[in-house]
Amino acid sequence: MDRVKGKIAIVSGAASGMGVEHVRALVREGAKVVGFDLVEGEGRVLVNELGSDNFHFLPNHSVTSASDWAEVVRHCEINFGAPTVMVNNAGVFRSTRVESVTEQTYRSVIDVNQIGSFLGMQSVIAAMRYAGGGSIVNICSTSGLVAFEDNFAYVASKWAVRGMTKAAALELAADGIRVNAVCPGETETPMLLNSTEPGTSLPPESFPFGRWARPDEIASAVLFLASDESSYMSGSEVVVDGAYTAG
């Protein structure tokens, strides 16, 4: 129950889906967490569930805003201390094809998935350096490993996240800041379950396991990378896809 005891974490996109499970896993294993999202979603319910001594939630904060990121980090420092874990979880999907996607739609995906992850990493570096190191976990995707049709903008953004993870890992190693990525396959989140857009997901039977992942299974990988169990891992990606990309 103490795998991340004493650690202080920030989780983006904490109001639904995988973000909720990342928060639960971190708090369950001893961390203090600040989560934020554009919407309130399950955020307030999660505060009641986990207790305000363990989890703070900030709605109306966007990963695309450097000033919002700075405010989240300040809130974390004032209330819990310098963050030593940061989970870049927030993401969006739009069904897009290279020939027909508009510049506006393309940029909207890049802004959240790529720019949001960049701003998140940048915002915590000074605080983690002050704390003596830390772990940044970027939520990537199997779309950052292989391409999928009708996913042009999303694929581009997730390959960028994987590349940024490796570049940041090299640059921050001397500061004791580890940077890794988790690459989920299809996961039972509202973003997939409620989508009617083409290309959003592959059917469960197309996976060797015969099902999609559960959000808590992705959170287990995040927890491992946040903990000292992965102390010599940086610049890596942990693939959680039921063997889909193994073939």
Side-chain angles (χ1 to χ4, degrees):
M1 296 291 288
D2 293 330
R3 294 171 66 191
V4 287
K5 185 177 181 179
K7 296 189 184 296
I8 299 165
I10 293 173
V11 178
S12 70
S16 67
M18 285 190 287
V20 170
E21 293 303 324
H22 301 333
V23 171
R24 283 191 177 120
L26 289 165
V27 170
R28 182 182 68 242
E29 294 293 338
K32 306 291 187 183
V33 181
V34 174
F36 72 100
D37 210 314
L38 260 180
V39 298
E40 190 157 321
E42 298 177 55
R44 300 297 184 195
V45 174
L46 204 56
V47 172
N48 292 333
E49 174 189 328
L50 301 174
S52 59
D53 289 341
N54 301 311
F55 176 57
H56 287 192
F57 176 72
L58 304 177
N60 304 312
H61 284 67
S62 172
V63 294
T64 65
S65 167
S67 61
D68 282 3
W69 270 110
E71 186 176 332
V72 171
V73 174
R74 281 196 301 272
H75 182 97
C76 186
E77 290 175 318
I78 291 168
N79 290 276
F80 291 140
T84 52
V85 173
M86 200 274 285
V87 184
N88 262 322
N89 170 73
V92 296
F93 175 86
R94 302 284 184 272
S95 179
T96 57
R97 295 180 68 87
V98 61
E99 184 177 18
S100 57
V101 62
T102 65
E103 180 181 350
Q104 180 180 8
T105 298
Y106 182 85
R107 287 183 182 274
S108 71
V109 175
I110 297 299
D111 280 350
V112 174
N113 296 355
Q114 180 182 350
I115 303 302
S117 295
F118 150 64
L119 291 174
M121 288 190 287
Q122 190 177 66
S123 72
V124 297
I125 291 171
M128 285 189 175
R129 186 180 288 130
Y130 173 80
S135 174
I136 296 172
V137 183
N138 293 323
I139 303 302
C140 190
S141 169
T142 50
S143 291
L145 302 169
V146 295
F148 294 94
E149 199 172 2
D150 298 317
N151 278 244
F152 181 74
Y154 188 75
V155 166
S157 71
K158 292 303 186 178
W159 277 75
V161 169
R162 189 160 69 100
M164 291 192 303
T165 297
K166 293 181 180 297
L170 288 172
E171 293 183 12
L172 301 177
D175 296 307
I177 300 173
R178 300 183 295 108
V179 190
N180 292 287
V182 173
C183 297
E186 267 71 351
T187 305
E188 295 173 348
T189 64
M191 187 171 76
L192 291 191
L193 294 172
N194 300 331
S195 178
T196 58
E197 292 191 71
T200 305
S201 62
L202 298 167
E205 58 270 18
S206 66
F207 289 81
F209 277 25
R211 64 175 178 86
W212 290 353
R214 300 187 312 270
D216 65 283
E217 291 175 311
I218 311 304
S220 293
V222 170
L223 182 64
F224 168 69
L225 292 174
S227 76
D228 293 338
E229 296 162 17
S230 57
S231 59
Y232 202 62
M233 287 181 64
S234 196
S236 300
E237 55 267 348
V238 176
V239 184
V240 190
D241 70 348
Y244 182 81
T245 57

